[in-house]
Amino acid sequence: MATTEAVPAPRRRSLLRPLTFGLTLTAVLALLFGVPWWSLVVSGNAWPTPVVAAGTVLFAGAAVAFPLLMILGHARHNDVAARIGDTILGAIWILFVWALAGDVLRLVLLASGVDDPVRSRVTAAFTAVVSVTIGIWGYLEAMRIPRVRRVTVTIPRLGAGLDGLRVVLLTDTHYGPIDRVRWSRGVTEAVNALDPDIVAHTGDIADGTVAQRTGQAAPLADIRARYARVYVTGNHEYFGEADGWLSHMQTLGWEPLHNRHVLVTRGGDSLVVAGVDDRTAAGTGLPGHRADHEAALAGADPALPVLLLAHQPKQIDAAVTHGVDLQLSGHTHGGQIWPFHYLVRLDQPVVQGLTRHGARTQLFTSRGTGFWGPPFRVFAPSEITELTLRTA
């Protein structure tokens, strides 16, 4: 009897998770698509019936197609579906945000005595015009060659011979469904123009396999650095083939810091340049993949300053524990599409910029060189970062 009673329990638990996920996804889609639909199509606009019908079909069709396109695009690796789904995601987020802003305007107009349908039509026009303007600008921002962001970092333990060492940081290039070979060449030219001592790539190099993104990644082979070109994995490598990207980057002439370090020496002084795998690596089941700071620093002179590459800012606690002087990270994209950075901040200790953690450790978080998914960047510009290291 006990065995018979125990059988249904696992089944109920197994059904609960997909049911919860399905309900959550439905609620999120209803909000994302429903709010702008209400503001633009229904509300108190009093549009002609054909306009309401056409608008409703458009929003409903997009809401139904969106999850299917994302599954087909990102789970089944269909680049056309991914491009369409990602664009819908970015566009509906922008519409959602500015429809909410339009509701604030609606309240102002209501308080001012403006009646419907004028009040709702003004609100709808505001939402549409601002969303289209923001969308076009955000697309251009995402697709352009990133501007160079210059940051000076003082490292007290840095030897005088290394004073002024310049490190150029790339991260989150996300070569993906949109072919950006020309963009990749432009990034390479911008980096080489800086004549860097070290070039670092802190992961999320691509969405897809090496075979899919070989052309977009090829210009990385032409990046020049006086002392070292170093790379660590991000979480997106583990959606594709992490080992493949580690090997391919080595083929392109880069030094994969797969829980290891190299030594950079200039003017008689040395800097430990170490790297660890992304924090999600351990959960992938790939043998030898996990963020292992002890392995990365094994054999390094503890008196030397340490520059650590780690994809996610939240890996900073381990860096503090291991006495790292400066950690370089990406992952956040600076939020990518405003105001998404508020949600990023719930998961990460920092969204972007230079911050201090503990007595010794500093963290620089880049807004990213490329973009993930939606081809938009709104109030979160991409960057190629030039960090100049100074001794105290």
Side-chain angles (χ1 to χ4, degrees):
M1 185 65 178
T3 303
T4 304
E5 291 173 350
V7 171
R11 187 174 301 154
R12 284 197 297 269
R13 284 196 298 269
S14 66
L15 290 174
L16 183 60
R17 181 172 294 178
L19 180 61
T20 302
F21 175 78
L23 290 173
T24 302
L25 178 62
T26 301
V28 170
L29 291 177
L31 273 175
L32 277 177
F33 288 87
V35 169
W37 167 76
W38 177 261
S39 178
L40 294 173
V41 179
V42 189
S43 187
N45 293 305
W47 301 124
T49 300
V51 173
V52 174
T56 300
V57 169
L58 177 64
F59 275 96
V64 171
F66 168 67
L68 301 177
L69 288 166
M70 294 299 279
I71 292 170
L72 183 61
H74 293 283
R76 304 292 178 86
H77 308 294
N78 182 302
D79 281 352
V80 174
R83 286 197 294 270
I84 298 171
D86 290 342
T87 302
I88 290 175
L89 175 59
I92 201 63
W93 174 257
I94 292 170
L95 275 170
F96 172 77
V97 168
W98 293 101
L100 292 178
D103 287 336
V104 175
L105 174 61
R106 186 192 306 274
L107 292 175
V108 172
L109 294 174
L110 177 63
S112 301
V114 179
D115 295 326
D116 273 336
V118 173
R119 180 175 68 243
S120 292
R121 290 186 177 184
V122 169
T123 300
F126 166 84
T127 299
V129 170
V130 173
S131 296
V132 169
T133 302
I134 289 287
I136 293 172
W137 172 65
Y139 175 80
L140 295 175
E141 277 288 297
M143 301 304 292
R144 67 167 174 77
I145 304 301
R147 301 179 185 91
V148 176
R149 181 182 187 181
R150 291 179 168 85
V151 179
T152 299
V153 185
T154 300
I155 300 178
R157 298 202 304 156
L158 192 72
L162 292 168
D163 185 57
L165 191 80
R166 289 176 298 113
V167 181
V168 170
L169 172 61
L170 303 176
T171 187
D172 301 280
T173 43
H174 284 285
Y175 303 126
I178 297 175
D179 192 343
R180 288 180 289 146
V181 172
R182 181 185 295 181
W183 177 88
S184 186
R185 291 188 189 125
V187 169
T188 293
E189 292 170 4
V191 170
N192 288 341
L194 297 174
D195 191 25
D197 296 307
I198 299 171
V199 179
H201 194 306
T202 53
D204 278 9
I205 189 170
D207 293 304
T209 64
V210 172
Q212 289 176 298
R213 312 303 178 208
T214 298
Q216 294 183 59
L220 291 176
D222 299 323
I223 284 181
R224 297 188 299 270
R226 192 166 286 105
Y227 299 110
R229 295 180 296 171
V230 289
Y231 158 75
V232 294
T233 56
N235 58 306
H236 278 249
E237 277 84 337
Y238 294 98
F239 300 152
E241 50 172 0
D243 282 324
W245 280 110
L246 287 166
S247 298
H248 189 63
M249 287 297 279
Q250 192 165 29
T251 301
L252 296 178
W254 288 63
E255 190 80 40
L257 298 182
H258 179 33
N259 295 320
R260 53 186 291 269
H261 71 269
V262 295
L263 208 62
V264 169
T265 301
R266 188 182 78 176
D269 290 303
S270 296
L271 172 70
V272 176
V273 182
V276 293
D277 297 342
D278 182 68
R279 65 183 299 273
T280 63
T284 64
L286 284 176
H289 284 264
R290 63 189 182 96
D292 190 340
H293 290 72
E294 291 184 9
L297 297 172
D301 185 344
L304 294 179
V306 178
L307 172 67
L308 177 73
L309 277 58
H311 180 64
Q312 298 195 39
K314 70 191 321 180
Q315 294 177 267
I316 191 62
D317 290 342
V320 172
T321 301
H322 289 84
V324 168
D325 296 86
L326 175 63
Q327 175 176 309
L328 303 182
S329 297
H331 185 68
T332 68
H333 300 200
Q336 188 164 319
I337 306 177
W338 184 89
F340 198 78
H341 66 286
Y342 289 115
L343 296 179
V344 174
R345 188 63 181 81
L346 296 176
D347 180 58
Q348 298 290 333
V350 177
V351 175
Q352 63 90 24
L354 184 65
T355 52
R356 181 170 290 278
H357 303 261
R360 174 189 295 178
T361 307
Q362 297 180 78
L363 164 66
F364 181 80
T365 305
S366 168
R367 291 184 297 246
T369 311
F371 61 87
W372 173 84
F376 303 98
R377 271 189 173 271
V378 177
F379 304 131
S382 57
E383 64 183 76
I384 296 169
T385 317
E386 182 187 54
L387 299 111
T388 301
L389 308 186
R390 293 293 183 184
T391 182

